[in-house]
Amino acid sequence: MTANELRKLYVSYYKERGHKLAAATSLVPENDASVLYTTAGMQPLVPYLLEKEHPLGKRLVNVQRCVRTGDIEEVGDDYHLTVFEMLGNWSLGDYFKKEAITMSFEFLTEKLNIPVSSLAVTVYKGNDKVPYDAEATQTWLELGLSKEQIFYYGDDENWWGPAGETGPCGPDSEMFYVNDLPDCSEECGPACSCGKYVELGNNVFMAYNKDKDGNLTELKQKNVDVGLGFERLLILANNLQNVYETDLFVPLINKWKK
Ligand code: SER
């Protein structure tokens, strides 16, 4: 599958499910002083996640170039890039957890043919203000994941907010590909960086707004923000080892070799 075919497959999958294609925006955000670069597909959507009406409606899909300075130290391994593309889809006050997780799961397992047995997911375990995400767990179990494939983490791993730290945020449920490797330790799991677990994407349930003092207020409009790692899915779809073997890089590398 070429990079272009994967972009098209993703966008058409969500269009068939009522999503409208939102244009990608500049890597340098406009009208957003909270970040230097666009760090996620949701970054340009912040006003709409905070209840402003989006001209394209309540279901969106897009493909967005992103930069994460926090990832720079990892660039050069099999999966991290300075600039990457995020496949994103959103519900702006429309469907919520069950539908979002189900669509993510079906895209990975039915469109990309990733075996269910090779997946692991994480679920928010709650804190003193926000409850454990029982609905996410229940949905993953109904979709056929076993209890052993579901891992529970707190605010460090399973809470997502934009890079500027204020704004729409909430508990999330991440999806991982499990490489056929032994556990590196007794604590080995999706939060571990030993290489066994490769993050494929994240379902964020944006039900809160965080202010500059760190206070959370519940949003009237409950949103879903899903982001998938485009290059990682391209590696898996083609049974490759690393991003440099994909058609994003092979033609360039071949030119340099000449
Ligand atoms: N914004 C979330 C993330 O970057 C999901 O798109 O993980």
Side-chain angles (χ1 to χ4, degrees), residues 87-107:
L87 305 176
N89 61 84
W90 294 272
S91 158
L92 303 173
D94 189 352
Y95 58 82
F96 205 40
K97 296 179 183 179
K98 188 175 168 125
E99 295 85 342
I101 289 176
T102 303
M103 283 189 268
S104 294
F105 174 82
E106 288 178 359
F107 181 71

Side-chain angles (χ1 to χ4, degrees), residues 4-210:
N4 252 339
E5 284 165 353
L6 176 55
R7 290 186 192 99
K8 280 192 188 143
L9 181 71
Y10 175 74
V11 169
S12 60
Y13 175 83
Y14 279 92
K15 274 187 168 173
E16 282 159 19
R17 287 156 185 78
H19 296 66
K20 296 274 173 10
L21 179 62
T25 61
S26 166
L27 259 189
V28 180
E30 287 168 36
N31 308 320
D32 184 350
S34 69
V35 283
L36 277 180
Y37 297 108
T38 298
T39 57
M42 54 69 67
Q43 199 80 46
L45 295 175
V46 169
Y48 308 102
L49 294 161
L50 292 174
E51 301 170 13
K52 182 176 169 188
E53 209 167 301
H54 195 285
L56 292 175
K58 290 179 180 297
R59 296 182 180 210
L60 305 177
V61 57
N62 94 347
V63 181
Q64 175 66 49
R65 267 178 215 280
C66 303
V67 172
R68 289 193 172 179
T69 51
D71 284 349
I72 297 288
E73 294 296 331
E74 316 293 331
V75 174
D77 70 2
D78 288 349
Y79 307 108
H80 289 86
L81 295 168
T82 43
V83 177
F84 69 99
E85 289 177 61
M86 187 179 283
L87 305 176
N89 61 84
W90 294 272
S91 158
L92 303 173
D94 189 352
Y95 58 82
F96 205 40
K97 296 179 183 179
K98 188 175 168 125
E99 295 85 342
I101 289 176
T102 303
M103 283 189 268
S104 294
F105 174 82
E106 288 178 359
F107 181 71
L108 295 178
T109 57
E110 292 173 17
K111 297 291 170 186
L112 298 183
N113 298 319
I114 298 175
V116 179
S117 58
S118 298
L119 290 177
V121 299
T122 62
V123 166
Y124 183 63
K125 72 175 179 192
N127 66 17
D128 52 350
K129 295 193 189 77
V130 181
Y132 151 66
D133 196 344
E135 187 180 349
T137 303
Q138 188 55 31
T139 305
W140 286 120
L141 290 171
E142 281 168 16
L143 288 168
L145 269 77
S146 66
K147 283 185 179 156
E148 290 69 36
Q149 288 171 284
I150 305 176
F151 295 77
Y152 301 91
Y153 296 104
D155 295 356
D156 288 350
E157 302 291 341
N158 275 112
W159 184 268
W160 205 89
E165 291 189 2
T166 57
C169 54
D172 63 40
S173 184
E174 295 181 313
M175 302 165 290
F176 294 78
Y177 182 80
V178 187
N179 278 316
D180 191 13
L181 295 171
D183 283 358
C184 68
S185 72
E186 271 184 23
E187 284 82 49
C188 190
C192 176
S193 56
C194 69
K196 177 163 176 160
Y197 295 89
V198 180
E199 187 188 339
L200 301 180
N202 195 0
N203 305 282
V204 185
F205 308 117
M206 288 188 164
Y208 301 90
N209 184 37
K210 189 174 178 184

